[in-house]
Amino acid sequence: MKSFIVFALFVAAAVAAPASPDADAQILRYDADNIGVGDYNNAVETSNGIKRVEQGVLKNIGTENEALEVRGEFSYPGPDGVLYTVTYIANELGFQASGAHLPQAPQ
């Protein structure tokens, strides 16, 4: 019985919480070029200012080092009104992201 009361309190708190301004965001653009094998491209843009573009390319096809390299970029408006952009690549060297607001590794 106690667990039911605790659960009911959590549900009530979730319902009473103010909705995020992003809750009503709509998809304005969705492009996808992907057959599920090999290279792909996709892009999404929403009404709340979020954008994402990504491309995947199969490298070293037919070898034991065959791998997918992914490059992309996403941006979003921050609560401070600034548009934040992150560019990234993911390959055999790992995930590498860069953006003006991200800390930079020492040289």
Side-chain angles (χ1 to χ4, degrees), residues 8-105:
L9 289 173
F10 278 115
V11 170
V15 170
S20 163
D22 295 331
D24 294 325
Q26 303 293 313
I27 296 174
L28 302 177
R29 174 178 158 227
Y30 176 76
D31 297 325
D33 179 17
N34 182 358
I35 61 170
V37 179
D39 300 352
Y40 71 89
N41 294 294
N42 59 48
V44 176
E45 183 177 348
T46 62
S47 60
N48 59 348
I50 296 172
K51 296 179 183 178
R52 186 183 67 81
V53 176
E54 185 174 280
Q55 303 84 35
V57 177
L58 199 54
K59 294 173 44 176
N60 304 318
I61 298 171
T63 71
E64 73 176 47
N65 295 323
E66 186 172 285
L68 185 65
E69 179 173 276
V70 177
R71 295 177 179 267
E73 177 178 292
F74 63 89
S75 61
Y76 59 93
D80 54 3
V82 174
L83 183 66
Y84 293 93
T85 301
V86 176
T87 303
Y88 61 88
I89 182 170
N91 58 19
E92 65 276 4
L93 301 176
F95 181 79
Q96 306 141 58
S98 62
H101 63 292
L102 297 177
Q104 300 298 314

